[in-house]
Amino acid sequence: MESLNRWLFLSVNNFAGKNDILDRIGVFLGEQGPYFFIGLIVYIYIKRQNKKEAIYATITMISAILLNHLVGLFYLHPRPFVDGLGVILKEHTADSSFPSDHTTFMLALSWSLTMFKGTKKIGKNMLMLGIILGFFRVFEGVHYPFDILGALVMGYFNAHMIYRSKERLKPLIDLILKIDNKVFKKD
């Protein structure tokens, strides 16, 4: 499996370092993806008025990132540049690469939204975009493809668990919405 992971990495990362414009676009997309997703969640919360779905998605993302860090305590997988592979376009610490935090962030939000009728379509679109942006992390030279696959699984797992726990989380959601109504003076 590791040889397949390396081969897939080199197949994607092989395009890095050959065109300055492509490299800049790739680094921008790989690094800024989570910020775009934050903007989408704010849009869903405020403009689309899918407040509960946005809150559940945020809780899902937080739990997924926490679980990523727990995985990192027990499983250290080197980044491609630590293994001496490929072209690195953006400096990164040599911590564990599995699963990708950037991609988990985006995919946990996306998976969560796919579980609710009112946000299923936007969630599916965000899921596809998140996978694409995740592969820009491979292009940058900071992740292996299996790190992106791990993020896909981690995002789904957390979204599924939070969705199944939504009745237990209802008091928290109601409290957040109550605070929102008081802060923004809504009745």
Side-chain angles (χ1 to χ4, degrees):
M1 288 298 261
E2 193 60 30
S3 61
L4 174 61
N5 201 17
R6 289 171 181 242
W7 179 81
L8 289 170
F9 167 78
L10 291 171
S11 297
V12 173
N13 182 254
N14 185 48
F15 295 99
K18 294 185 165 78
N19 180 298
D20 189 53
I21 294 172
L22 180 63
D23 290 350
R24 287 175 190 246
I25 291 170
V27 169
F28 177 79
L29 293 173
E31 295 298 315
Q32 303 306 316
Y35 297 108
F36 181 68
F37 275 63
I38 291 170
L40 288 171
I41 289 297
V42 169
Y43 165 77
I44 289 165
Y45 186 86
I46 295 172
K47 195 74 171 163
R48 288 192 47 164
Q49 292 294 304
N50 294 104
K51 293 182 183 246
K52 287 183 181 180
E53 294 88 338
I55 295 167
Y56 280 114
T58 302
I59 292 169
T60 298
M61 177 273 299
I62 292 168
S63 71
I65 293 298
L66 289 173
L67 193 55
N68 269 14
H69 289 284
L70 187 63
V71 168
L73 292 175
F74 297 100
Y75 177 69
L76 177 66
H77 190 271
R79 293 185 180 273
F81 60 85
V82 173
D83 289 337
L85 290 178
V87 174
I88 182 166
L89 298 177
K90 177 90 170 78
E91 286 192 35
H92 199 289
T93 57
D95 57 352
S96 184
S97 70
F98 183 86
S100 166
D101 287 336
H102 275 75
T103 310
T104 298
F105 183 102
M106 296 182 289
L107 299 183
L109 292 170
S110 304
W111 275 121
S112 180
L113 294 173
T114 66
M115 304 208 171
F116 296 94
K117 185 177 180 181
T119 55
K120 185 179 287 284
K121 185 176 180 182
I122 195 168
K124 286 180 180 179
N125 290 333
M126 287 172 62
L127 187 62
M128 299 313 294
L129 179 61
I131 292 168
I132 292 166
L133 293 175
F135 273 94
F136 278 102
R137 303 289 288 161
V138 177
F139 173 80
E140 286 182 84
V142 296
H143 278 291
Y144 283 105
F146 286 6
D147 301 340
I148 308 309
L149 182 61
L152 184 70
V153 171
M154 189 67 75
Y156 177 78
F157 172 77
N158 280 275
H160 181 71
M161 296 310 296
I162 295 298
Y163 185 79
R164 288 190 64 191
S165 303
K166 69 181 180 176
E167 286 306 314
R168 281 182 262 154
L169 291 170
K170 190 175 181 327
L172 174 63
I173 303 301
D174 290 343
L175 175 63
I176 293 169
L177 291 172
K178 186 176 181 179
I179 292 168
D180 174 37
N181 284 334
K182 285 200 183 285
V183 169
F184 295 106
K185 309 250 189 274
K186 299 176 206 165
D187 292 320

